[in-house]
Amino acid sequence: MDSFISKIRNLDAYPKINEDFYSRTLSGGVITVASSIIMTLLFISELRLYLHAVTATKLVVDTSRGETLRINFDITFPSLACSILSVDAMDISGEQHLDIRHDIIKKRIDALGNVIETRKEGIGAPTIDRPLQRHGGRLEHNETYCGSCYGAEGSDDHCCNTCEDVREAYRKKGWALTNPDEIDQCKREGFLEKVKLEEGEGCNMYGFLEVNKVAGNFHFAPGKSFQQSNVHVHDLLTFQKDSYNISHKINRLTYGEYFPGVVNPLDGVTWTQETPHGMYQYFIKVVPTVYTDVSGHTIQSNQFSVTEHFKGADVGRFQSIPGVFFFYDLSPIKVTFTEQHVSFLHFLTNVCAIVGGVFTVSGILDSFIYHGQKAIKKKMELGKFS
C-alpha cells in the first residue's frame, strides 16, 4: 500500500517548495498585481458573453413556395391630394390589383403637414336629388334608382349609382373619363369641385399590401388606372391638370415583420421634385430572412437593399406616368439569424484558458526580469558591466 502511495506521489506535477527558499521581489509583486487585474477584466468580459445571447448567421437556399409577401408602408405626398392619389400592385405572374383601397388609410394634410381629415375611401357619398335614371328619365318617388354607366355597362342589369361606379366601369372597359361634368353622378356629387377644393393639399397614405412572393411592383400615382392595349395607363384627363408634383417622404417601408437588428434603408427618405413631370423609381432587392430568438420563437421576415432613379417625362417614345414606383425582386438566398447562449462548458474552458494563459505569461515575464536583474548585478560586482 505504501509503495502504491509512493508511486502516486512521484506522479505529482506540482512539487512544493519550502517557504524558506522563496525569494520575493518588487518586480514580481508588480507583475502579480497587473496580471490579476488583466485576469479579472478578461473574466468579466467572458462572463458578459456567457450571460448574453449571441447571434449566429447562416445563408441557405430559399426553397419556400406558395407564400405571400406583406408590404407595410407609410408615405407622405405633400403636393398630391388624396382624392386623386391611388395605389396599384402587379407582379410578373400577371396578377394585378388596381386602385387598392382595403387595408389602406388616407390622411388629408395641409401645407404645414397638419392632418385635415382621415378617411378610407376617395370621393364622398352622393346626395341624390332626383338623379338621372339609366333609361334617361329622372328618379320618381316610386322607383328604385339605377344610374347609367354611359355605355360601360358590364351587363343588362348593371347600374352605376355613384361617380365612383362610373369611373370603375370605365376603367374595366379601358376607357378614360375625359369630362366628369358630363356625367350626371359626378356632376351631382361635385366631383371636380371636391378635387379643386383639395388643391394645395397633401396626402399621407399608410397601410399594407399582401402580394404574391414573386417579382413585381407597386406604385402611387394620380388618377384611376386601367389596361389599354395591354398597357398600364392612368386616367389623368379627369382632373384637368397639366402637371403633378410627386415629391414624397417615406416614413416607413418594410417587407414583413420587424425583428431585432433589422435596418430598413428607405425609412425617413425624402425626395423633392424639381422638374414639371416625371416618374421616380425605386429598385428593391428583397432578401428572405428568418430570425429565431433564444426562446425558440421564429419570425419570418425580409431585409432589402435599394437603388433609385428618376425618369423624365420625355424619355423614349412614350410619356412616363407621373408617380412613385417600387420595383422589387426576391433573392434566392435566405438569411437565418439564430440567437443562442454559450454553453457552460465553453465558458469554463475559456475561463481556464484566461487564468492559465495569463498566469503562464506573467511567470515567464517575471522569470525573465528576475534572471536579467541577477545577471546584471553579478556583472556589476565583477566590474564587467559597461
Side-chain angles (χ1 to χ4, degrees), residues 88-132:
D88 304 327
M90 52 196 69
D91 59 44
I92 58 172
S93 69
E95 187 167 325
Q96 297 187 12
H97 302 275
L98 306 180
D99 197 14
I100 302 170
R101 298 194 175 197
H102 56 83
D103 303 316
I104 293 175
I105 305 295
K106 289 182 179 181
K107 285 183 181 179
R108 290 172 57 194
I109 57 175
D110 60 22
L112 300 176
N114 301 314
V115 177
I116 301 172
E117 180 189 12
T118 301
R119 67 189 185 198
K120 282 193 175 183
E121 294 297 328
I123 299 301
T127 302
I128 299 178
D129 181 17
R130 297 199 68 213
L132 189 66

Side-chain angles (χ1 to χ4, degrees), residues 166-370:
V166 178
R167 295 179 68 206
E168 181 64 18
Y170 268 55
R171 182 191 69 77
K172 289 180 179 178
K173 285 285 187 180
W175 299 348
L177 188 62
T178 55
N179 190 358
D181 278 342
E182 294 179 355
I183 306 299
D184 182 68
Q185 293 90 325
C186 297
K187 187 175 181 179
R188 188 178 67 249
E189 294 174 23
F191 178 85
L192 284 181
E193 286 75 6
K194 291 179 181 180
V195 171
K196 290 176 182 177
L197 181 66
E198 294 185 15
E199 281 189 3
E201 293 182 6
C203 188
N204 171 238
M205 290 185 69
Y206 63 93
F208 67 90
L209 306 172
E210 200 84 28
V211 298
N212 295 325
K213 197 174 179 182
V214 295
N217 82 82
F218 65 98
H219 56 267
F220 302 84
K224 185 175 284 288
S225 58
F226 56 91
Q227 291 291 117
Q228 191 174 67
S229 302
N230 295 323
V231 177
H232 182 78
V233 295
H234 279 248
D235 180 11
L236 303 179
L237 296 175
T238 304
F239 306 114
Q240 300 176 3
K241 294 183 68 174
D242 295 329
S243 63
Y244 298 89
N245 188 338
I246 59 170
S247 299
H248 59 275
K249 178 182 180 182
I250 303 175
N251 304 305
R252 184 174 71 102
L253 180 66
T254 65
Y255 285 80
E257 295 182 52
Y258 169 82
F259 63 89
V262 64
V263 176
N264 298 309
L266 286 178
D267 287 3
V269 169
T270 301
W271 181 78
T272 303
Q273 181 173 317
E274 297 177 352
T275 58
H277 305 279
M279 170 197 297
Y280 204 79
Q281 301 168 315
Y282 293 96
F283 298 92
I284 294 171
K285 193 72 171 181
V286 180
V287 181
T289 304
V290 178
Y291 185 89
T292 306
D293 60 21
V294 287
S295 62
H297 175 64
T298 299
I299 300 173
Q300 300 279 349
S301 189
N302 300 278
Q303 303 176 87
F304 67 91
S305 61
V306 61
T307 57
E308 48 197 87
H309 173 68
F310 177 70
K311 183 179 180 182
D314 297 317
V315 175
R317 292 178 55 194
F318 301 102
Q319 190 177 46
S320 57
I321 300 172
V324 180
F325 286 68
F326 296 85
F327 298 90
Y328 57 89
D329 195 5
L330 288 108
S331 169
I333 301 298
K334 178 188 290 185
V335 181
T336 63
F337 296 110
T338 306
E339 277 191 347
Q340 54 192 19
H341 280 298
V342 176
S343 68
F344 179 73
L345 288 177
H346 185 78
F347 167 71
L348 192 62
T349 302
N350 286 352
V351 169
C352 292
I354 289 170
V355 174
V358 173
F359 186 80
T360 301
V361 171
S362 59
I364 293 171
L365 183 62
D366 176 63
S367 176
F368 177 77
I369 294 174
Y370 175 71

